[in-house]
Amino acid sequence: MKKHALWLISGLMAAMVVAGCGKKEAPVAATPAPVAAQAIVIGLDDNFPPMGFRDDKNELVGFDIDLAKEAGKRLGVEVSFKPIDWSAKESELNGKRIDVLWNGLTITEERKANILFTKPYLENRQIIVVTEKSPVKTKAQLTGKVVGVQDGSSAVEAIQKDEATAKSIKEIKKFGDNVTALMDLSVGRLDALVVDEIVGRYYTGKKPGEYRVLDEHFGTEDYGVGTRKDDTELAAKLDKALDDMKMDGTAAKISTRWFGKDIVKK
């Protein structure tokens, strides 16, 4: 009996040792790697005040910048901004170098072929700016004149839709940005500039007495946020974020900060 007991005790001890060794050798479960924070890259023209531009400290500021940052918070994603050549915006978007176009982007049927837009959030017009001393007072008087536009902007399409005026214009001169175009207008290399009203009024307001905006314009249009055609989920989330901002008054506050009043399209 004693021998049997000894064997039993020995067997149990051996089993415990083996079990202990097995426990030590078992692989330790790897700690899950932290999930990388989601982020969206927003493409913009960084010389397009008051929508998106650089301040005296070279920091990106503007109405669309503030809207986009607020939308990012509500979506729980990090938002970064990437200045692009605005005339190549669709290539930048569909080449996946950016995820979103958010910078006073006009919704047009032509652009809808390559861009998925959110609902409109702002209304805009294509205005005609001349110098205060200019004899031009109507669209008809643009006949034989040199008219400036920003390359890649909806101003080009807006002029072309008015076939009679478009045919009468001597030249439509394209610029990389509206600041350069306004400088050319001031020194007489242009007779007029067709530009988004929101941008044009911002600039002309800074130099009272230098420019004049004609009563006639080249039509009303809507601004929207653009994503790739297959990014339906992102577009829907941006739509909801914008709707929520309109409902709770956040969009109105941002608008008032930049325009002095709420001009957001409900």
Side-chain angles (χ1 to χ4, degrees):
M1 289 293 293
K2 286 181 181 180
K3 286 183 179 180
H4 286 297
L6 268 166
W7 290 340
L8 182 60
I9 291 167
S10 298
L12 285 169
M13 288 179 70
M16 288 172 68
V17 170
V18 171
C21 290
K23 191 173 181 180
K24 287 178 183 176
E25 292 175 5
V28 178
T31 304
V35 179
Q38 287 183 299
I40 56 175
V41 180
I42 295 176
L44 79 160
D45 169 10
D46 63 351
N47 198 8
F48 196 64
M51 310 309 283
F53 64 105
R54 295 192 180 276
D55 63 11
D56 295 338
K57 298 178 181 177
N58 203 37
E59 294 179 357
L60 280 171
V61 296
F63 174 71
D64 276 340
I65 302 294
D66 287 348
L67 274 186
K69 286 180 178 178
E70 179 63 27
K73 288 178 186 177
R74 295 177 185 233
L75 268 58
V77 299
E78 182 183 342
V79 171
S80 62
F81 298 92
K82 182 181 179 181
I84 61 171
D85 177 354
W86 198 243
S87 64
K89 56 190 170 295
E90 292 179 21
S91 297
E92 292 286 335
L93 180 64
N94 292 312
K96 298 188 176 181
R97 291 179 287 277
I98 57 173
D99 303 305
V100 172
L101 288 166
W102 196 334
N103 191 211
L105 180 64
T106 301
I107 301 171
T108 67
E109 291 303 316
E110 184 181 2
R111 287 175 178 171
K112 282 181 180 178
N114 298 307
I115 299 172
L116 176 61
F117 284 94
T118 61
K119 290 181 288 188
Y121 67 93
L122 212 62
E123 190 173 78
N124 179 58
R125 297 187 304 171
Q126 289 296 333
I127 61 172
I128 305 165
V129 180
V130 296
T131 60
E132 183 61 47
K133 296 178 181 179
S134 171
V136 176
K137 291 181 172 58
T138 66
K139 281 201 287 187
Q141 291 175 328
L142 292 175
T143 300
K145 299 295 192 291
V146 179
V147 178
V149 295
Q150 182 183 18
D151 191 15
S153 74
S154 58
V156 181
E157 187 177 340
I159 294 172
Q160 290 171 344
K161 282 181 179 178
D162 188 334
E163 293 183 12
T165 304
K167 288 178 181 178
S168 73
I169 291 172
K170 179 182 178 181
E171 179 189 356
I172 296 177
K173 190 173 181 180
K174 297 178 181 179
F175 294 82
D177 59 77
N178 290 306
V179 175
T180 307
L182 277 167
M183 288 172 63
D184 271 25
L185 178 62
S186 294
V187 298
R189 286 192 285 266
L190 286 179
D191 297 300
L193 172 67
V194 177
V195 60
D196 293 57
E197 180 173 27
I198 287 167
V199 179
R201 297 230 180 246
Y202 176 84
Y203 277 125
T204 57
K206 284 181 169 294
K207 294 184 177 181
E210 186 169 342
Y211 302 106
R212 177 165 43 85
V213 176
L214 302 193
D215 292 333
E216 291 181 277
H217 56 82
F218 281 99
T220 302
E221 56 195 26
D222 289 322
Y223 283 165
V225 181
T227 68
R228 283 182 284 275
K229 294 285 284 187
D230 57 354
D231 280 348
T232 53
E233 184 178 353
L234 176 58
K237 287 180 177 178
L238 290 171
D239 255 335
K240 185 179 186 309
L242 285 167
D243 283 343
D244 289 346
M245 280 190 266
K246 292 174 187 178
M247 290 292 291
D248 65 22
T250 303
K253 288 180 182 177
I254 295 174
S255 178
T256 302
R257 184 185 309 157
W258 288 102
F259 303 112
K261 61 180 180 178
D262 180 13
I263 63 170
V264 175
K265 188 168 185 175
K266 304 297 188 289

